[in-house]
Amino acid sequence: MKSVTRALLLAFVVLTSSVAVAQNLAAEAVKKQVIQFVQELRPDQRARALRTFSDSARTRWNNLPVGLAARSGISLGNLTINQRKQLHRILSAALSSQGYLKATGIMHLDNLLNQYYDTLLVRKEINETMHKRMRDLKWEHQNFFTAIFGDPAGQQPWALKLEGHHLSLNLTFTGNQLAVTPMFLGTDPAEYGISSYAGWRVLGQEEDYGIMLINALSADQKKVATMSTAVPGDIITAANSNKRLIDYWGLKASAMTPEQKKLLQFIVHEYVHNLDRDKADVEYEKISKAGWDNVYFGWIGSYQETERHYFVINGPTFLIEFDNSGFGNQANHIHTIWREKGNDFGDDVLRDHYQSHKH
């Protein structure tokens, strides 16, 4: 009995140590690139980009275009070529290759939105007034902002935010602990419809897996999974909604077949592995340890991609929301978010940090 207990304790220590190492590798990689970025900023740029850790902007997020919601920090348009290159090094360190391509794809999609409305104007499908209204939203790759809260070269907690239309990345660092949510991604359109980019779907995989899972369920399972209500016009936990999804609803994974549960895991894997591998492995391990059977899958709306739909995946340690509603109910405008429960903007890791430094 003692040998079994000793073996379990050793396994726990090894697992805890490996998690700590992974966290440290991920945090250190980003920290190195952020310090380099700060060093390359001019004094006037630092005045815009650097904030105190206590700045309330750190714990606010928004997905609206900057024409509707101003951002803190410095815009990409106010960076030099070399500084922009360094910012991309930060993104490459924080995100996986798929996460990096999604984030940069969302930023580039803003430029395409302008081209889209320019085309509609030329075709006389919209008038000058509507065209100006769209332009005034300031959709543009250069209108994404980054801000650094605290000192990445110091010993105290610090944070990094990159945000603009349909993108909010929030990274919080405390020693070797790294928190990465809320992480909001969005695309308008969900599928680009004109020019050489026709068919481009930046968040296509998330949507495809969700559609696959709901249609893999039996009729009885669909009844349990589907809430009989109108498709929300946005994710329920949107930036300005002040709402939280506390109650679990939908179909519990323990009531799924192995094949259905595998599809559920595919969706979660897609979200978590937008992160750098080390951090992604840590988060996926947390979800697995909490038990896949304790995860719920809920659906609202049509089971077809071309009609409005929404799904939520709610587990003990995380929350995923996906909404494709869009203007005019066209189901061509995606909002989605991933949250570490209790750890948005690093709440959990900051609480641990402050408790350990009380004395």
Side-chain angles (χ1 to χ4, degrees):
M1 185 67 181
K2 286 183 178 180
S3 61
V4 173
T5 302
R6 192 178 297 112
L8 290 173
L9 179 60
L10 179 60
F12 174 77
V13 170
V14 169
L15 176 61
T16 304
S17 299
S18 64
V19 168
V21 169
Q23 290 262 21
N24 188 56
L25 288 172
E28 285 298 322
V30 181
K31 178 179 178 179
K32 176 183 175 182
Q33 299 300 338
V34 174
I35 291 173
Q36 181 64 37
F37 176 73
V38 172
Q39 290 173 346
E40 294 187 9
L41 295 176
R42 300 188 309 267
D44 62 305
Q45 292 176 312
R46 290 190 182 197
R48 279 178 282 180
L50 305 185
R51 296 283 188 271
T52 64
F53 190 74
S54 59
D55 193 314
S56 61
R58 180 181 69 83
T59 54
R60 293 197 305 266
W61 69 274
N62 209 300
N63 57 278
L64 294 173
V66 298
L68 294 176
R71 300 304 202 278
S72 294
I74 187 168
S75 72
L76 270 66
N78 285 317
L79 298 177
T80 67
I81 294 296
N82 285 336
Q83 290 165 349
R84 290 185 198 178
K85 288 180 178 179
Q86 186 58 35
L87 182 61
H88 278 270
R89 295 285 177 164
I90 295 172
L91 290 176
S92 295
L95 304 173
S96 65
S97 57
Q98 73 169 40
Y100 173 80
L101 290 174
K102 288 176 188 177
T104 54
I106 288 167
M107 293 157 71
H108 181 57
L109 196 54
D110 259 22
N111 288 342
L112 295 185
L113 266 178
N114 283 328
Q115 293 179 25
Y116 176 72
Y117 283 102
D118 289 347
T119 300
L120 293 185
L121 180 64
V122 170
R123 292 177 177 175
K124 297 184 179 180
E125 295 180 29
I126 60 172
N127 58 29
E128 291 280 359
T129 301
M130 176 61 75
H131 183 257
K132 182 180 183 302
R133 184 175 160 194
M134 294 298 102
R135 280 289 190 174
D136 286 345
L137 295 174
K138 298 182 180 179
W139 285 317
E140 193 173 4
H141 185 281
Q142 296 190 47
N143 285 333
F144 286 79
F145 285 70
T146 189
I148 298 161
F149 301 88
D151 181 10
Q155 300 302 313
Q156 296 302 310
W158 62 281
L160 172 75
K161 182 187 292 285
L162 177 67
E163 193 173 80
H165 182 218
H166 279 158
L167 180 67
S168 184
L169 303 179
N170 299 278
L171 281 67
T172 308
F173 302 78
T174 59
N176 69 348
Q177 298 290 306
L178 170 59
V180 294
T181 70
M183 180 178 285
F184 178 96
L185 305 174
T187 55
D188 177 23
E191 181 179 45
Y192 199 74
I194 64 173
S195 78
S196 58
Y197 286 93
W200 191 28
R201 300 169 67 218
V202 176
L203 300 176
Q205 201 79 334
E206 290 86 342
E207 181 166 52
D208 290 348
Y209 282 145
I211 294 289
M212 288 170 65
L213 177 54
I214 190 64
N215 285 295
L217 302 181
S218 68
D220 288 341
Q221 287 175 312
K222 282 182 179 178
K223 288 180 182 178
V224 176
T226 306
M227 181 178 285
S228 180
T229 187
V231 177
D234 198 351
I235 57 173
I236 293 170
T237 64
N240 298 316
S241 72
N242 294 318
K243 293 180 180 178
R244 292 292 176 264
L245 287 171
I246 299 173
D247 296 332
Y248 292 94
W249 61 272
L251 181 68
K252 197 173 183 181
S254 59
M256 295 181 181
T257 67
E259 292 77 14
Q260 293 164 349
K261 194 180 298 184
K262 195 70 174 177
L263 284 173
L264 177 69
Q265 292 170 342
F266 283 169
I267 303 173
V268 177
H269 189 281
E270 185 68 25
Y271 280 82
V272 174
H273 283 80
N274 286 326
L275 303 169
D276 174 75
R277 185 181 65 189
D278 292 323
K279 177 59 177 171
D281 288 347
V282 169
E283 291 309 311
Y284 205 76
E285 178 71 22
K286 287 180 187 176
I287 295 168
S288 298
K289 285 181 67 178
W292 284 103
D293 281 348
N294 298 317
V295 176
Y296 286 74
F297 174 69
W299 191 274
I300 301 175
S302 172
Y303 302 145
Q304 304 301 316
E305 178 194 326
T306 54
E307 299 175 1
R308 299 175 69 198
H309 53 277
Y310 164 97
F311 68 80
V312 58
I313 301 176
N314 199 349
T317 65
F318 75 100
L319 177 75
I320 288 170
E321 280 192 275
F322 179 100
D323 181 87
N324 190 345
S325 182
F327 301 114
N329 300 328
Q330 294 178 349
N332 198 26
H333 187 145
I334 291 172
H335 285 182
T336 190
I337 198 165
W338 175 49
R339 297 177 182 270
E340 298 175 87
K341 284 192 174 178
N343 206 25
D344 272 359
F345 304 107
D347 284 350
D348 269 357
V349 293
L350 288 171
R351 189 180 302 112
D352 292 343
H353 170 82
Y354 293 133
Q355 286 179 351
S356 64
H357 288 77
K358 277 184 178 180
H359 305 294

